Amino acid sequence: MGKYVAQLSFSASDWDLVTPDSARLRNGACPCLSGEQYVDCCGRFHRGEADAPTAGQLMRSRYAAFVVLDAGYLLRTWHASTRPASMDLDSDMEWRRLDIVSATNGGPLDTTGTVEFAAHYRLDGERGVQREISRFVREGKRWFYVDGDVR
């Protein structure tokens, strides 16, 4: 997700210190649109209680991390070969909806996968959509975001 600029800055030393902003959730529902409550869905990944079993689930959980401003999770799930030293999240960005357009590989037995998505947002009263094809790699039993082509 390319639009993570402005007010909140995080570096590698902050990874375990970030508390997701659950006030940004609608009635406690998970922003990945699974229909589950955040605490039972992507929240368990954010808290480190489980790892996303597929590239698609990692994509959804990373989107949810953008919604709740959990930069620690975003950095922890970013592959070391491409991960920035720090990142800034814009607390004014309102992520509204995630649409998974397609996925290739990325299953529990795969080592690579891609997920194409459209993330709808609102910023400064304007609506927008970020479209990206994200690449993921699985090392051991953990999936990592590598990079993406923004469309």
Side-chain angles (χ1 to χ4, degrees):
M1 319 258 321
K3 299 193 182 293
Y4 53 85
V5 290
Q7 298 157 341
L8 303 173
S9 182
F10 299 91
S11 64
S13 62
D14 299 324
W15 288 3
D16 296 325
L17 304 176
V18 178
T19 301
D21 183 358
S22 59
R24 298 174 66 91
L25 300 174
R26 294 186 189 122
N27 298 317
C30 193
C32 82
L33 300 179
S34 65
E36 296 180 42
Q37 291 292 293
Y38 168 77
V39 297
D40 299 323
C41 190
C42 292
R44 63 194 166 110
F45 303 131
H46 297 173
R47 292 187 306 273
E49 296 172 3
D51 292 324
T54 66
Q57 186 61 54
L58 182 60
M59 176 66 246
R60 290 180 174 283
S61 67
R62 285 178 56 83
Y63 169 80
F66 274 99
V67 172
V68 299
L69 304 175
D70 190 345
Y73 181 76
L74 294 168
L75 289 168
R76 284 192 310 273
T77 57
W78 206 318
H79 194 268
S81 67
T82 57
R83 179 178 53 232
S86 64
M87 63 187 302
D88 298 324
L89 295 175
D90 187 346
S91 61
D92 291 333
M93 177 71 79
E94 294 179 48
W95 294 102
R96 309 297 286 183
R97 188 179 85 233
L98 175 67
D99 296 329
I100 301 297
V101 177
S102 67
T104 304
N105 299 325
L109 302 177
D110 294 317
T111 56
T112 62
T114 61
V115 178
E116 182 177 358
F117 70 88
H120 302 261
Y121 64 89
R122 188 172 294 163
L123 180 63
D124 298 328
E126 299 291 323
R127 293 179 185 193
V129 179
Q130 179 172 328
R131 299 176 193 282
E132 181 177 313
I133 298 176
S134 296
R135 285 179 285 280
F136 297 88
V137 64
R138 186 170 60 90
E139 292 182 352
K141 295 184 179 186
R142 291 191 62 208
W143 282 100
F144 294 92
Y145 169 80
V146 177
D147 60 17
D149 293 324
V150 177
R151 302 290 166 152

